[in-house]
Amino acid sequence: MLTKTDYVEMAKGLSYPSQCLIDGQWVNAASGATFETINPNDGALLAKLPACDASDVDAAVTSARAAFESGIWSGLHPSERKAVMSKLADLIETNTEELAVMEAIDAGKPITDCVEIDVPETATCIRWHGEAQDKLYDQIAPSAPNAVGLIVREPLGVVGAVLPWNFPLMMMAWKIGPAMATGNSVIVKPAEQTSLTALRLAELALEAGVPPGVLNVITGMGPDVGEPLGRHMDVDALTFTGSTEVGRKFLEYAAQSNMKEVCLEMGGKSAAVVLEDAGGIAQIAEIQANAIFWNMGENCTANSRIIAHKSVYDELVAEMAKQAEAMALGDQMDPNTQNGPLVSDEHFEKVSGLVETGKTQGARLVTGGTGAGGLKFQPTVFANVTKDMDIFQQEIFGPVVGITKADSDEEAIALANDSEYGLAATLYTKDLTKAHKYARKLKAGTVGVNAYSEGEISTPFGGFKSSGFGGRDNGIHAHAQYTELKTIWITLDD
Ligand code: NAD
């Protein structure tokens, strides 16, 4: 069992990436500009990275296009792509500790989560999509005997992937796994706060045998790199995970350029609905503490709202407070830490501001509500939250949960659906009929019943309403966003 000292020493010994990957070459930004990436726990400088701009995007697109058209990857037998992606998954597993340390120190994520969840799930995702590709069949349409109608799927070509900072490795895998498995070339733009592991993952991809140009990673700010990718006339698809505000812009970029395919995974304000017959409130509170406080609440499916039937409300408020107060806050490199620092000063200010608004608008602060040293924020529970409050409607993306009382099961479901978002929901009931009925009524892309869940790699992930647009991550369903359907109609004339 490694200790905090071990992890800190490992972090000191790491060689952090400092260049981008374009066409298989490690390069600086064409302008020579750089930006700093820091450890959010203490502000220490980790690395200076290329601050790329539109000219670097052009270079990456040219390389990705050439790789795609050459067939060096897109033209391989699916089993050959599978072999390379399996090798990449193996390399991720072999380098688990290095990747986990880099992820933890750059993003403020607890090291134990990085070792046990983020890195293994990254490997699983790459392997799963690689493995799937040589087991998928195309279709033949019903037709008269004198014709054959083939329905085939083809890769789109060049895919841009713009990523958030909360699960840097996993979000990259969720994009490049299906995009590369289906034969596309990809340009990844990681979040500027957390670019290190994207670059290291790309280095491992080269080692695994991914040909130059098939996977490019360019670092920099959203308007400098994300926007030129979104507006590029030679990018065929843009896949994005991040805020709803920025997601909307990609629709504009596409509409104003080449109408590229756009797939958006965006914000959430997911509700857990605890019905009258839910039972086991202490256990539900334990699950829901994980559902909101895990990863500092910086999780798109975080259950930041709990809607509780009036008969269980008081007990649930008390149990949630106990759970919040028991969370271990600390340095993210300490294996005992459950919650590390928030990702940045700016984000800390946003979370603090919404907590203050919650108080001003009349919610009852049960526990937490302030910083806990540096960028750490105390797990926070509000009660008496009503649907008109900002903390009910706005994504906080921090360790803050609001509990709302409902007079009936029907009202609880209606309150859960009273949101511009629809990413996920959780439902607690012992009644099988209610479980089925209300799971259908909840307007969310994933509904966990009697447990918080995002499903698994095999199930599609994405949102209703302002949480999602244009497709799904995960599962075979994710392949649809990176492929185009083609009909080939062959007339058999004698
Ligand atoms: P963000 O929208 O601020 O940034 C995401 C990416 O977009 C970054 O790479 C950023 O540089 C880029 N970007 C910023 N401005 C841009 C612009 N004008 N043009 C083009 N690109 C631009 O999001 P974030 O703060 O990194 O992540 C948090 C958000 O992500 C939350 O809303 C969270 O719910 C969401 N999220 C959603 C999912 C999901 O699967 N639905 C998963 C994780 C995170």
Side-chain angles (χ1 to χ4, degrees), residues 284 287-288 291 303 425-429 447-454:
I284 289 173
I287 297 170
Q288 287 312 121
N303 286 184
T426 308
L427 176 68
Y428 290 96
T429 176
V447 178
V449 178
N450 291 330
Y452 163 71
S453 176
E454 293 185 347

Side-chain angles (χ1 to χ4, degrees), residues 162-166 171 189-192 222-223 226-227 240-243 246 249-250 253 265-268 300 395 397 423 461:
V162 178
L163 307 180
W165 45 257
N166 59 339
M171 292 303 104
K189 184 258 182 265
E192 55 273 24
E227 180 168 349
F240 167 82
T241 295
S243 63
V246 174
K249 293 182 197 269
F250 282 100
Y253 301 157
E265 301 291 357
M266 300 174 286
C300 54
E395 183 180 47
F397 220 55
L423 190 55
F461 178 93

